[in-house]
Amino acid sequence: MDALTTRAPKQDRSRATRRKLLEAAVSCLAERGWSGSTVSAVAERAGVTRGAAQHHFPTREDLFTAAIEHVAEEWLDAVRERARALPRDGESRTRAVVDMLVGVYTGPLFRAALHLWVAAADEEQLRPRVNALEARIGREAHRLAVEFLDADESVEGVRESVQATLDMARGLGLANLLSDDSARRAGIVRQWSRILDTVIHARPEQPPGS
Amino acid sequence: MDALTTRAPKQDRSRATRRKLLEAAVSCLAERGWSGSTVSAVAERAGVTRGAAQHHFPTREDLFTAAIEHVAEEWLDAVRERARALPRDGESRTRAVVDMLVGVYTGPLFRAALHLWVAAADEEQLRPRVNALEARIGREAHRLAVEFLDADESVEGVRESVQATLDMARGLGLANLLSDDSARRAGIVRQWSRILDTVIHARPEQPPGS
């Protein structure tokens, strides 16, 4: 009984520490880049000792890939939640989905991930892990986009149009890195949504009520 | 007379040294990232003394912004040259232009520029210079895209579609950073070229022979 009651709060504390480290790692990456993001810098930001940080994450690579994965998971959950409030169908739904996707790629998660991606291009130990992580997040983002857009990928060109949407969103994220690009971006999102909606919904009408 | 004849070769040598430094700077950035790109590393790669490098470029920021600008200028010249061999009009021309633009953003210049852009997000001294450089290159790439696509920006949605093409190309460049993305990319380029061609050429037909 005693062992059980002391173990539970200890596990909670451990989980809370882990979470604090992961969130500190992402904000550190977003603000200071890979070269400014060491395990010590993250531990300090999280208010945790360096030893405790290393207990959870033995290497710098462990810490930062886990951090991006954690925040990406949280983002995917938030997106699934928000998707319930999307307009039911038609062009306004397509526009809302494109807006949501572009919003992700212009936010702090993408900024942090971008630092990790670019660092991975030069760091042998980091590259395979970040590559695998990028592929996993990319697949899941694509799957969600298809679902939210109610896109039928068996129709020619639909799959590539959804992929192009995510690539464009990534490009807009990059364009937003050094300066506020929101005015230009709004026009592009509007036009892209119109085009995408035409491509996705250029299929035989379903019978009313189906 | 003597002063003139000795000055000319000296100026040539100086220009050649400057050029070697700029090209070494870009390949250094592309391969080793910002943290591995110091003036000394570039001087060594160019086979030039550190003193000679600093004579041309007093600071690291001077060297790397000049390097990206130099290579971007060379690229713009090469694109103008290649554009003469593009198909005259129709969907095949649109496809060739999109291919050319995407080719740039998936090549070594973009890779080097990406390292500089991301470094600039965290480095105060670098940010305003890279920001101005990015804006200048972006404007020129847009202008060339409009010209090569024979796009009429007074038609609603055309300007944003051309911008979206460049943003998509940038996103495809990012997707190609850690692994070879060429198979996926080919399908996206094909589909987007079809769409873009429809958007651009959805205007009243011109009388034959005009």
Short mmCIF file of all heavy atoms in Angstrom, two decimals, chain B residues 19-20 22-23 26 66-82 104 109 137 144:
data_model
loop_
_atom_site.label_atom_id
_atom_site.label_comp_id
_atom_site.label_asym_id
_atom_site.label_seq_id
_atom_site.Cartn_x
_atom_site.Cartn_y
_atom_site.Cartn_z
N ARG B 19 35.50 36.45 -56.27
CA ARG B 19 34.60 35.46 -56.83
C ARG B 19 34.83 34.08 -56.18
O ARG B 19 33.87 33.39 -55.84
CB ARG B 19 34.88 35.38 -58.33
CG ARG B 19 33.86 34.63 -59.09
CD ARG B 19 34.33 34.40 -60.52
NE ARG B 19 33.31 33.62 -61.19
CZ ARG B 19 32.27 34.18 -61.82
NH1 ARG B 19 32.16 35.49 -61.89
NH2 ARG B 19 31.38 33.42 -62.39
N LYS B 20 36.11 33.73 -56.01
CA LYS B 20 36.43 32.44 -55.37
C LYS B 20 35.86 32.39 -53.94
O LYS B 20 35.34 31.38 -53.50
CB LYS B 20 37.96 32.23 -55.32
CG LYS B 20 38.51 31.51 -56.55
CD LYS B 20 39.92 31.00 -56.31
CE LYS B 20 40.92 32.15 -56.39
NZ LYS B 20 42.32 31.71 -56.32
N LEU B 22 33.28 34.10 -52.76
CA LEU B 22 31.81 34.05 -52.76
C LEU B 22 31.32 32.63 -53.06
O LEU B 22 30.39 32.14 -52.42
CB LEU B 22 31.25 35.04 -53.80
CG LEU B 22 31.51 36.52 -53.48
CD1 LEU B 22 31.10 37.40 -54.66
CD2 LEU B 22 30.75 36.95 -52.22
N GLU B 23 31.99 31.98 -54.02
CA GLU B 23 31.55 30.63 -54.36
C GLU B 23 31.87 29.64 -53.23
O GLU B 23 31.07 28.74 -52.93
CB GLU B 23 32.13 30.21 -55.71
CG GLU B 23 31.34 30.91 -56.82
CD GLU B 23 31.97 30.89 -58.21
OE1 GLU B 23 33.03 30.25 -58.37
OE2 GLU B 23 31.40 31.52 -59.11
N VAL B 26 29.19 29.97 -50.46
CA VAL B 26 27.91 29.30 -50.72
C VAL B 26 28.04 27.79 -50.53
O VAL B 26 27.20 27.16 -49.89
CB VAL B 26 27.38 29.64 -52.13
CG1 VAL B 26 26.20 28.75 -52.49
CG2 VAL B 26 26.94 31.10 -52.16
N ALA B 66 26.71 38.77 -49.27
CA ALA B 66 27.24 39.01 -50.62
C ALA B 66 27.27 37.70 -51.42
O ALA B 66 27.00 37.70 -52.63
CB ALA B 66 28.65 39.61 -50.55
N ALA B 67 27.56 36.60 -50.75
CA ALA B 67 27.67 35.31 -51.45
C ALA B 67 26.31 34.87 -51.99
O ALA B 67 26.20 34.48 -53.15
CB ALA B 67 28.23 34.26 -50.49
N ILE B 68 25.28 34.96 -51.16
CA ILE B 68 23.94 34.55 -51.63
C ILE B 68 23.50 35.48 -52.75
O ILE B 68 22.94 35.04 -53.77
CB ILE B 68 22.93 34.56 -50.47
CG1 ILE B 68 23.29 33.51 -49.41
CG2 ILE B 68 21.50 34.33 -50.98
CD1 ILE B 68 23.19 32.07 -49.89
N GLU B 69 23.78 36.77 -52.59
CA GLU B 69 23.38 37.73 -53.63
C GLU B 69 24.09 37.41 -54.94
O GLU B 69 23.48 37.38 -56.01
CB GLU B 69 23.72 39.15 -53.17
CG GLU B 69 23.24 40.17 -54.17
CD GLU B 69 23.10 41.55 -53.55
OE1 GLU B 69 23.84 41.84 -52.58
OE2 GLU B 69 22.27 42.33 -54.03
N HIS B 70 25.38 37.14 -54.87
CA HIS B 70 26.17 36.83 -56.06
C HIS B 70 25.62 35.60 -56.77
O HIS B 70 25.41 35.61 -57.99
CB HIS B 70 27.64 36.60 -55.65
CG HIS B 70 28.48 35.95 -56.69
ND1 HIS B 70 28.98 36.65 -57.77
CD2 HIS B 70 28.91 34.67 -56.83
CE1 HIS B 70 29.69 35.82 -58.54
NE2 HIS B 70 29.66 34.61 -57.99
N VAL B 71 25.37 34.54 -56.00
CA VAL B 71 24.90 33.30 -56.63
C VAL B 71 23.48 33.47 -57.15
O VAL B 71 23.13 32.95 -58.22
CB VAL B 71 25.04 32.11 -55.67
CG1 VAL B 71 24.51 30.84 -56.31
CG2 VAL B 71 26.50 31.91 -55.31
N ALA B 72 22.67 34.25 -56.45
CA ALA B 72 21.31 34.51 -56.94
C ALA B 72 21.36 35.27 -58.27
O ALA B 72 20.62 34.96 -59.19
CB ALA B 72 20.52 35.29 -55.90
N GLU B 73 22.26 36.24 -58.38
CA GLU B 73 22.42 36.99 -59.64
C GLU B 73 22.83 36.04 -60.77
O GLU B 73 22.31 36.11 -61.88
CB GLU B 73 23.47 38.10 -59.50
CG GLU B 73 23.04 39.29 -58.67
CD GLU B 73 21.82 40.01 -59.24
OE1 GLU B 73 21.55 39.88 -60.44
OE2 GLU B 73 21.13 40.69 -58.46
N GLU B 74 23.77 35.17 -60.46
CA GLU B 74 24.22 34.22 -61.49
C GLU B 74 23.07 33.32 -61.91
O GLU B 74 22.92 32.99 -63.07
CB GLU B 74 25.34 33.34 -60.92
CG GLU B 74 26.60 34.10 -60.67
CD GLU B 74 27.81 33.27 -61.04
OE1 GLU B 74 27.82 32.07 -60.72
OE2 GLU B 74 28.75 33.82 -61.65
N TRP B 75 22.27 32.91 -60.92
CA TRP B 75 21.13 32.06 -61.21
C TRP B 75 20.12 32.79 -62.10
O TRP B 75 19.62 32.25 -63.08
CB TRP B 75 20.47 31.57 -59.91
CG TRP B 75 19.12 31.03 -60.20
CD1 TRP B 75 18.86 29.88 -60.86
CD2 TRP B 75 17.87 31.65 -59.92
NE1 TRP B 75 17.51 29.74 -61.01
CE2 TRP B 75 16.88 30.81 -60.45
CE3 TRP B 75 17.48 32.82 -59.27
CZ2 TRP B 75 15.52 31.10 -60.35
CZ3 TRP B 75 16.14 33.11 -59.18
CH2 TRP B 75 15.18 32.27 -59.71
N LEU B 76 19.85 34.05 -61.75
CA LEU B 76 18.89 34.81 -62.54
C LEU B 76 19.37 34.95 -63.99
O LEU B 76 18.59 34.81 -64.93
CB LEU B 76 18.64 36.19 -61.91
CG LEU B 76 17.90 36.15 -60.56
CD1 LEU B 76 17.95 37.51 -59.87
CD2 LEU B 76 16.45 35.71 -60.73
N ASP B 77 20.67 35.17 -64.17
CA ASP B 77 21.23 35.24 -65.53
C ASP B 77 21.02 33.91 -66.26
O ASP B 77 20.61 33.89 -67.43
CB ASP B 77 22.73 35.55 -65.49
CG ASP B 77 22.99 37.00 -65.12
OD1 ASP B 77 22.04 37.81 -65.19
OD2 ASP B 77 24.14 37.33 -64.77
N ALA B 78 21.30 32.81 -65.57
CA ALA B 78 21.17 31.49 -66.20
C ALA B 78 19.72 31.21 -66.58
O ALA B 78 19.43 30.65 -67.64
CB ALA B 78 21.69 30.41 -65.26
N VAL B 79 18.79 31.64 -65.70
CA VAL B 79 17.36 31.42 -65.97
C VAL B 79 16.93 32.22 -67.21
O VAL B 79 16.25 31.71 -68.09
CB VAL B 79 16.53 31.82 -64.73
CG1 VAL B 79 15.10 32.12 -65.11
CG2 VAL B 79 16.59 30.70 -63.68
N ARG B 80 17.38 33.48 -67.29
CA ARG B 80 17.04 34.31 -68.46
C ARG B 80 17.55 33.66 -69.74
O ARG B 80 16.89 33.66 -70.76
CB ARG B 80 17.64 35.71 -68.30
CG ARG B 80 16.86 36.59 -67.35
CD ARG B 80 17.44 38.01 -67.29
NE ARG B 80 17.06 38.65 -66.03
CZ ARG B 80 17.86 38.81 -64.99
NH1 ARG B 80 19.11 38.42 -65.04
NH2 ARG B 80 17.42 39.38 -63.88
N GLU B 81 18.75 33.09 -69.65
CA GLU B 81 19.36 32.43 -70.80
C GLU B 81 18.54 31.18 -71.20
O GLU B 81 18.20 31.01 -72.36
CB GLU B 81 20.79 32.02 -70.41
CG GLU B 81 21.64 31.46 -71.52
CD GLU B 81 21.81 32.42 -72.69
OE1 GLU B 81 21.94 33.64 -72.43
OE2 GLU B 81 21.76 31.94 -73.84
N ARG B 82 18.23 30.35 -70.19
CA ARG B 82 17.50 29.12 -70.45
C ARG B 82 16.09 29.39 -70.96
O ARG B 82 15.51 28.59 -71.67
CB ARG B 82 17.39 28.29 -69.17
CG ARG B 82 18.47 27.20 -69.08
CD ARG B 82 17.98 26.05 -68.24
NE ARG B 82 17.90 26.42 -66.82
CZ ARG B 82 17.28 25.70 -65.91
NH1 ARG B 82 16.64 24.60 -66.25
NH2 ARG B 82 17.27 26.08 -64.64
N VAL B 104 15.07 25.32 -59.21
CA VAL B 104 15.91 26.27 -58.48
C VAL B 104 15.78 26.06 -56.97
O VAL B 104 16.77 26.02 -56.25
CB VAL B 104 15.49 27.71 -58.81
CG1 VAL B 104 16.19 28.68 -57.88
CG2 VAL B 104 15.79 28.01 -60.25
N LEU B 109 21.73 26.30 -54.39
CA LEU B 109 21.60 27.71 -53.99
C LEU B 109 20.55 27.84 -52.90
O LEU B 109 20.76 28.51 -51.89
CB LEU B 109 21.22 28.58 -55.20
CG LEU B 109 20.77 30.00 -54.87
CD1 LEU B 109 21.85 30.79 -54.15
CD2 LEU B 109 20.36 30.75 -56.15
N ILE B 137 15.34 39.15 -53.91
CA ILE B 137 15.35 37.94 -54.74
C ILE B 137 13.92 37.47 -55.02
O ILE B 137 13.58 37.10 -56.15
CB ILE B 137 16.16 36.80 -54.07
CG1 ILE B 137 17.64 37.22 -53.90
CG2 ILE B 137 16.07 35.51 -54.87
CD1 ILE B 137 18.49 36.20 -53.15
N LEU B 144 10.18 37.46 -62.98
CA LEU B 144 10.57 36.53 -64.05
C LEU B 144 9.48 35.47 -64.28
O LEU B 144 9.18 35.13 -65.43
CB LEU B 144 11.89 35.83 -63.70
CG LEU B 144 13.15 36.66 -63.87
CD1 LEU B 144 14.38 35.84 -63.46
CD2 LEU B 144 13.31 37.15 -65.31
#
